[in-house]
Amino acid sequence: MSFKTFLRHLREGFKNVFRNGWMSVASITSIVVSLFVLGVFILLVLNVNQVADKADSQVQINVHLTLNTDQKMREKLENEIGNMPEVSKVEFVSKEQGLKEFREDMGPDAAELLEGFDKDNNPLPDKLLVEVIEPTTVPFVAEKIEALNKTHEEQPIYKVNYGKGSVETLFKVTKAVRNIGFIFVAGLALMSMFLISNTIRVTILARRKEIGIMKLVGATNYFIRWPFFIEGALIGLIGSVVTSVALYAGYSSLVSSVKGDPMLGLQLIPFENIWLLLCGLLVGLGVLIGVWGSTVSIRKFLKV
């Protein structure tokens, strides 16, 4: 195809969008509504996944040390745990610091209950806080840490605690949330594709006589198809851009509202962190659906 012919098809495609008036508006509106619903759900899934990731990342392993563990043994144990490939960080928390944090967590109402505990009378043990690279490896790492007791005669580890039972349940729930979110987004995307393509088919159905006449006067299928191909791409592009702008305005307003209300305790993903992914996906999907809908719909009318 020559460049001159391509410009002709491009010009005809643009003209068709405006020439068909309300039918083009109906197709664009269908794309905007469908992609807007899809975009809202994608934003919802991304934010739910962020909450799930945050919950996973907050899981820590508490390694409580025995009372007779000296500094040398504690540092040796700290190095052994830190050298495990699954571990990202090991932090020592003295029993004094632990008591201080316990007082802060309990609040002023429990001041009387903790009145007798001080530096010389502290029932809490020293401990190591262990963070892992991949949250789902927490149970496995906890078992490895417990096994370190067998390599030391002193047996410096009193107890390893990571919320056994609750943590496994948390991981199952967050995994289910991610999987369900993915399934819903995929299903909604397919539903949007069929809804939009059917609307475009109705648009082309109204012009079947025009296609038939072009075919009868000798126009090739290739020549007839290209303007519709470009028209579908333009309709999809316009609809997806309008959707992206609407989502930006609505979501940015929501982020500002939530950020200004600390009582909600929510932290939404800033739009600038995901706009490239979301808008690129919507624009690509809109153009793809527009082209696909036009190409599929015009095929049967080319058989004259």
Side-chain angles (χ1 to χ4, degrees), residues 62-110:
N62 291 275
V63 182
H64 300 281
L65 307 179
T66 55
L67 296 177
N68 59 348
T69 302
D70 57 25
Q71 182 177 348
K72 185 178 179 180
M73 174 55 69
R74 188 255 301 168
E75 290 177 350
K76 184 178 181 181
L77 189 64
E78 192 172 343
N79 289 331
E80 289 177 345
I81 296 173
N83 289 331
M84 292 180 180
E86 302 86 0
V87 174
S88 61
K89 181 182 178 183
V90 180
E91 180 184 354
F92 171 65
V93 179
S94 66
K95 59 182 181 181
E96 291 79 17
Q97 180 64 24
L99 182 61
K100 181 181 177 182
E101 292 176 358
F102 186 65
R103 289 181 188 275
E104 292 173 354
D105 292 340
M106 294 297 290
D109 295 337

Side-chain angles (χ1 to χ4, degrees), residues 25-44:
V25 171
S27 297
I28 292 171
T29 302
S30 174
I31 290 175
V32 170
V33 172
S34 300
L35 292 186
F36 186 83
V37 174
L38 177 62
V40 168
F41 205 87
I42 290 174
L43 287 171
L44 177 62

Side-chain angles (χ1 to χ4, degrees), residues 4-55:
K4 185 177 180 181
T5 304
F6 175 74
L7 287 180
R8 183 263 173 197
H9 292 325
L10 191 64
R11 186 169 58 252
E12 286 298 313
F14 270 95
K15 284 182 180 179
N16 287 341
V17 172
F18 296 99
R19 184 186 298 157
N20 294 296
W22 288 111
M23 295 303 292
S24 294
V25 171
S27 297
I28 292 171
T29 302
S30 174
I31 290 175
V32 170
V33 172
S34 300
L35 292 186
F36 186 83
V37 174
L38 177 62
V40 168
F41 205 87
I42 290 174
L43 287 171
L44 177 62
V45 169
L46 288 174
N47 280 282
V48 169
N49 280 340
Q50 177 182 250
V51 173
D53 290 339
K54 188 175 181 180

Side-chain angles (χ1 to χ4, degrees), residues 193-218:
M193 288 181 68
F194 283 107
L195 176 63
I196 295 168
S197 64
N198 284 335
T199 305
I200 294 175
R201 284 184 185 184
V202 172
T203 303
I204 294 178
L205 182 65
R207 295 157 61 190
R208 61 188 182 278
K209 290 184 180 179
E210 175 189 341
I211 298 169
I213 292 172
M214 292 177 67
K215 183 68 177 175
L216 290 173
V217 298

Side-chain angles (χ1 to χ4, degrees), residues 68-276:
N68 59 348
T69 302
D70 57 25
Q71 182 177 348
K72 185 178 179 180
M73 174 55 69
R74 188 255 301 168
E75 290 177 350
K76 184 178 181 181
L77 189 64
E78 192 172 343
N79 289 331
E80 289 177 345
I81 296 173
N83 289 331
M84 292 180 180
E86 302 86 0
V87 174
S88 61
K89 181 182 178 183
V90 180
E91 180 184 354
F92 171 65
V93 179
S94 66
K95 59 182 181 181
E96 291 79 17
Q97 180 64 24
L99 182 61
K100 181 181 177 182
E101 292 176 358
F102 186 65
R103 289 181 188 275
E104 292 173 354
D105 292 340
M106 294 297 290
D109 295 337
E112 292 184 6
L113 295 174
L114 301 174
E115 199 173 292
F117 301 113
D118 52 28
K119 183 177 180 180
D120 298 324
N121 186 25
N122 187 345
L124 299 180
D126 293 332
K127 68 177 179 179
L128 299 175
L129 284 180
V130 181
E131 295 181 7
V132 297
I133 299 172
E134 176 57 47
T136 54
T137 63
V138 164
F140 172 68
V141 175
E143 290 181 4
K144 286 180 67 175
I145 294 174
E146 286 180 331
L148 291 176
N149 252 353
K150 299 177 181 178
T151 63
H152 299 285
E153 293 183 5
E154 300 90 339
Q155 294 195 338
I157 300 173
Y158 168 67
K159 185 180 181 182
V160 177
N161 181 29
Y162 64 92
K164 187 175 182 179
S166 300
V167 167
E168 285 84 354
T169 302
L170 172 65
F171 291 152
K172 288 180 182 178
V173 170
T174 54
K175 183 179 180 180
V177 167
R178 294 188 185 96
N179 291 339
I180 291 171
F182 175 78
I183 292 170
F184 267 96
V185 167
L188 196 56
L190 288 174
M191 188 172 66
S192 299
M193 288 181 68
F194 283 107
L195 176 63
I196 295 168
S197 64
N198 284 335
T199 305
I200 294 175
R201 284 184 185 184
V202 172
T203 303
I204 294 178
L205 182 65
R207 295 157 61 190
R208 61 188 182 278
K209 290 184 180 179
E210 175 189 341
I211 298 169
I213 292 172
M214 292 177 67
K215 183 68 177 175
L216 290 173
V217 298
T220 64
N221 291 346
Y222 186 78
F223 189 85
I224 296 171
R225 186 182 286 115
W226 260 98
F228 288 97
F229 181 89
I230 294 172
E231 181 184 353
L234 287 172
I235 288 174
L237 179 63
I238 294 169
S240 57
V241 168
V242 172
T243 303
S244 299
V245 172
L247 283 172
Y248 171 77
Y251 186 73
S252 297
S253 177
L254 178 63
V255 170
S256 299
S257 301
V258 171
K259 192 175 181 180
D261 191 352
M263 295 296 292
L264 292 176
L266 294 175
Q267 188 175 2
L268 300 178
I269 303 173
F271 193 81
E272 55 267 23
N273 292 359
I274 53 175
W275 74 270
L276 188 60

